[in-house]
Amino acid sequence: MRLSQLFGKTLRQDPAEAETASHRLMLRAGLIHPIAAGVYSMLPLGLRSYRKIERVIREEMDAAGGQELSMPALQPIELWQQTGRHGAFGQTLFTFQDRKERLLCLAPTHEEVVTTLVSLNVQSYRDLPQLLYQIQTKFRDEQRPRAGLIRVREFAMKDAYSFDVDADALDATYRRVFQAYKNIFARCGLPAVPVEADSGAIGGKDSQEFMLLAESGEDEILRCSGCGYAANVERAAFVKPPAPNDAERPLEKVATPGKKTIEEVAAFLGVKPEQTLKAVFHAADGKVVFVVIRGDLEVNEVKLRNALKCADLRLATDEEVRGAGLVAGYASPIGVKGVRVVGDDSIALGANFVAGANLDGHHYKNANYPRDFTVALLTDIAKARAGDTCARCGKGAFESMRGIEVGHVFKLGTIFSEKLGASFLDKDGQKKPIIMGCYGIGVGRLLAAAVEQNHDEKGIMWPAPIAPYHVHMVGLQLDNPQVGPAAEKLYVDLQATGLDVLFDDRAESPGVKFNDADLLGMPLRVTVSPRTLKTQSVELKRRSEAQARNVPLAEAVAAVRQAVDEASRAATGRPAA
Ligand SMILES: [Zn+2]
């Protein structure tokens, strides 16, 4: 491709709206272009990388026994009402009426359609297993689209769905797809880390996310320094630290004027935060829930939502708290009426806690569970933090890192097959629901995450396997009678070996051309100029290295091929395709 003809211009200045490196660089390099909040065109350079990722995904999914199909984005709302997800997705689901006033939606995912398809095409155990996938456009009306292709409202996703006869068969399929995912990320030169993930209120079982580590990532991951257990912070299981567990003393009301926060009350009464109980108020599907947790811990909203099995969870407003008859800052689980109380199991680890007295300016000392108060639900709803002890090995401490979720594998079980009547007859002629799994990769997001993870202050540094072009050829003074023909010949010869070559044939200064080569980030830069031709050579420079080297013109094609293969091997352990 000649850069003079390439559609999409590079920008000299950083776009004002860009929040993250990938957003800024993808706009500056002319890979994407926004048309509305969270809606982008993919320009030719961006699409080349995208297609390379797609090809790897197809090859690995096919190798894992997958069959590609294509399902519609436009779907009748009745299908979503049947599974109850019309409500669960809430405003994230794009809905609208057609001319006959029928309600339709633009699908954010395809469990409903694929399960319906399978229910009509599978009768017997002989028709199973099936692994179906597509690479298709999805829609989510995100409240806050952000960071370029990281969080968008229209996006491409590879979604796969598996259908098996029993849990063992699902395990085998899940392991196969998991391995395919590892292969996909490795072949793209993107080392994604699998972590345990929350399986959500949907009630699935195993669930793992693939994370690309990056500072700007919106997910927090905790990894045990001892055993290597890694989990999304939403999910991470940890050992709660002990608290003094003396014999229970009599409940005592004390004045704590103006002391409302845990820190203030603990300091005033001379106790540690773990000797206090914290009251936190949430609204679950609009109803106030009183959450009580030990003062040194924080509530994990994902664990709480799962425990409450609610669709919508948020902090309650002051008005809602007052309306429930609670005194903010002094609210107490003791004597509370008419409000659902949920306790973190940490309240049973320790004794003689300081708790609110539900009276302005007062607290209780020596509050004990369950002697002084009860809860409707006692479970783990606390958030693990860096430094906490790993529950897997009971020894190592968690370290925190940030990542971008690029893939998700999930054992669904029979939730969808039961609701949509997808069943089969087993060997004994008995009707059973099909056991499902689902598996996603955000293709555009993976592209953005690749840039997020591979860049420097000058621009993108593509992993060789997914670079739009392998080689960025720079011709300087192409009107020079030696340079022009030599560069044209090299351009043709390099392409003849199967390499993807971008040829900067513009009449620009060397500074502009080299800056654009750094910004666009192809793995190898090859420069032909009057100076290199004086010694019958060309200059080779890896994007990842500062030093350039000269190779004889006669050996240029072989040397470039070798350098591209080396860059590819460095990223994936294999030569370039
Ligand atoms: Zn551990």
Side-chain angles (χ1 to χ4, degrees):
M1 183 71 198
R2 290 171 193 275
L3 196 46
S4 61
Q5 290 161 19
L6 179 69
F7 182 77
K9 293 269 173 286
T10 57
L11 306 175
R12 302 270 160 88
Q13 302 298 326
D14 283 342
E17 73 267 32
E19 302 156 54
T20 57
S22 64
H23 190 188
R24 175 169 56 83
L25 291 170
M26 291 179 85
L27 288 171
R28 274 194 62 196
L31 304 180
I32 56 172
H33 193 269
I35 196 75
V39 185
Y40 288 86
S41 296
M42 184 83 73
L43 302 186
L45 213 49
L47 192 63
R48 285 187 66 89
S49 280
Y50 175 89
R51 293 279 185 239
K52 289 186 178 185
I53 294 173
E54 245 187 6
R55 194 173 78 193
V56 171
I57 291 175
R58 281 203 172 91
E59 287 173 5
E60 291 295 335
M61 288 308 296
D62 290 347
Q67 293 181 61
E68 187 173 2
L69 45 55
S70 178
M71 293 178 279
L74 189 60
Q75 301 180 0
I77 203 73
E78 288 79 10
L79 210 47
W80 290 74
Q81 285 163 342
Q82 246 178 297
T83 58
R85 291 212 296 175
H86 178 225
F89 268 92
Q91 292 190 307
T92 309
L93 192 68
F94 272 108
T95 55
F96 59 95
Q97 286 189 331
D98 67 9
R99 64 173 73 201
K100 293 183 176 144
E101 295 185 357
R102 275 185 299 237
L103 202 55
L104 299 163
C105 71
L106 290 173
T109 171
H110 275 73
E111 282 84 357
E112 278 77 2
V113 169
V114 79
T115 310
T116 303
L117 255 181
V118 166
S119 74
L120 300 170
N121 285 281
V122 167
Q123 274 92 40
S124 142
Y125 69 95
R126 287 188 208 88
D127 302 326
L128 297 171
Q130 289 293 346
L131 176 62
L132 302 172
Y133 78 95
Q134 62 175 351
I135 300 176
Q136 185 262 5
T137 306
K138 311 252 181 267
F139 299 85
R140 286 185 198 197
D141 197 358
E142 294 283 353
Q143 196 172 13
R144 280 179 298 273
R146 59 175 286 274
L149 292 195
I150 297 288
R151 191 161 289 280
V152 281
R153 298 197 295 164
E154 176 184 319
F155 56 100
M157 192 162 148
K158 188 287 297 173
D159 46 330
Y161 307 89
S162 66
F163 302 85
D164 281 291
V165 292
D166 58 26
D168 287 346
L170 170 61
D171 283 348
T173 304
Y174 185 87
R175 280 196 300 273
R176 218 165 58 234
V177 179
F178 187 86
Q179 184 58 48
Y181 273 37
K182 284 171 78 171
N183 298 348
I184 288 166
F185 297 121
R187 283 182 60 190
C188 289
L190 300 169
V193 182
V195 307
E196 275 197 17
D198 173 55
S199 43
I202 206 166
K205 296 173 194 85
D206 291 349
S207 167
Q208 281 163 300
E209 288 164 343
F210 285 84
M211 293 281 184
L212 221 56
L213 300 182
E215 280 298 315
S216 67
E218 56 184 21
D219 283 283
E220 185 184 358
I221 302 152
L222 294 175
R223 186 153 67 183
C224 172
S225 55
C227 70
Y229 165 79
N232 193 311
V233 67
E234 295 172 343
R235 164 81 179 194
F238 69 112
V239 180
K240 288 171 191 170
N245 204 352
D246 308 328
E248 292 183 358
R249 293 190 289 268
L251 191 65
E252 188 188 334
K253 194 180 280 182
V254 291
T256 51
K259 311 297 179 199
K260 291 188 175 186
T261 68
I262 290 294
E263 291 71 28
E264 288 167 356
V265 174
F268 183 72
L269 295 175
V271 298
K272 297 203 167 99
E274 61 265 33
Q275 292 169 286
T276 69
L277 296 180
K278 179 157 54 183
V280 189
F281 306 103
H282 282 85
D285 292 336
K287 276 197 180 146
V288 174
V289 175
F290 187 137
V291 180
V292 54
I293 186 168
R294 223 172 59 189
D296 57 323
L297 300 171
E298 301 288 336
V299 174
N300 177 329
E301 288 204 359
V302 173
K303 287 184 184 173
L304 180 61
R305 179 183 289 120
N306 292 345
L308 294 171
K309 296 185 170 45
C310 61
D312 179 54
L313 186 76
R314 56 175 171 81
L315 285 172
T317 62
D318 290 349
E319 210 164 67
E320 285 169 327
V321 172
R322 275 196 304 275
L326 300 162
V327 182
Y330 299 95
S332 182
I334 299 171
V336 61
K337 285 199 178 64
V339 179
R340 192 171 183 205
V341 183
V342 177
D344 178 63
D345 51 18
S346 59
I347 64 173
L349 299 171
N352 302 315
F353 291 109
V354 170
N358 209 34
L359 174 66
D360 197 38
H362 288 79
H363 279 81
Y364 281 120
K365 279 167 79 172
N366 308 327
N368 285 290
Y369 171 84
R371 183 192 70 182
D372 303 318
F373 65 97
T374 56
V375 296
L377 184 65
L378 185 73
T379 185
D380 169 30
I381 48 170
K383 189 172 175 182
R385 290 170 293 199
D388 281 337
T389 304
C390 164
R392 180 67 58 85
C393 66
K395 290 195 294 273
F398 283 140
E399 51 183 337
S400 169
M401 50 197 79
R402 302 206 73 84
I404 301 166
E405 181 200 335
V406 290
H408 197 169
V409 291
F410 197 120
K411 288 185 187 171
L412 284 171
T414 58
I415 310 148
F416 289 95
S417 47
E418 280 176 8
K419 285 184 174 150
L420 295 164
S423 54
F424 68 101
L425 294 176
D426 72 6
K427 281 180 184 158
D428 307 318
Q430 275 202 313
K431 194 168 159 183
K432 288 184 173 164
I434 301 174
I435 316 254
M436 291 174 57
C438 69
Y439 317 87
I441 291 179
V443 188
R445 177 186 272 207
L446 183 58
L447 187 64
V451 175
E452 203 61 52
Q453 201 185 47
N454 299 280
H455 71 272
D456 63 11
E457 68 286 353
K458 293 175 182 165
I460 304 169
M461 302 168 77
W462 289 108
I466 60 166
Y469 293 91
H470 298 118
V471 179
H472 189 122
M473 223 186 99
V474 175
L476 298 179
Q477 297 178 36
L478 288 165
D479 50 1
N480 175 303
Q482 269 87 52
V483 179
E488 289 292 339
K489 180 171 187 314
L490 186 59
Y491 177 49
V492 171
D493 290 350
L494 286 175
Q495 291 179 93
T497 68
L499 290 173
D500 298 332
V501 186
L502 183 64
F503 176 21
D504 190 348
D505 60 339
R506 299 172 303 171
E508 293 281 0
S509 71
V512 166
K513 291 190 171 197
F514 290 145
N515 282 345
D516 275 349
D518 282 342
L519 173 61
L520 298 181
M522 306 318 155
L524 190 72
R525 190 183 80 193
V526 179
T527 306
V528 186
S529 70
R531 197 195 299 174
T532 66
L533 290 183
K534 224 177 248 173
T535 55
Q536 284 301 301
S537 65
V538 298
E539 185 199 74
L540 264 52
K541 183 185 165 298
R542 287 265 290 268
R543 177 65 181 84
S544 56
E545 289 168 3
Q547 286 304 314
R549 65 190 167 102
N550 278 40
V551 300
L553 186 58
E555 296 161 24
V557 172
V560 167
R561 180 77 222 189
Q562 195 187 346
V564 169
D565 281 343
E566 275 166 19
S568 185
R569 256 191 225 102
T572 67
R574 315 168 172 220

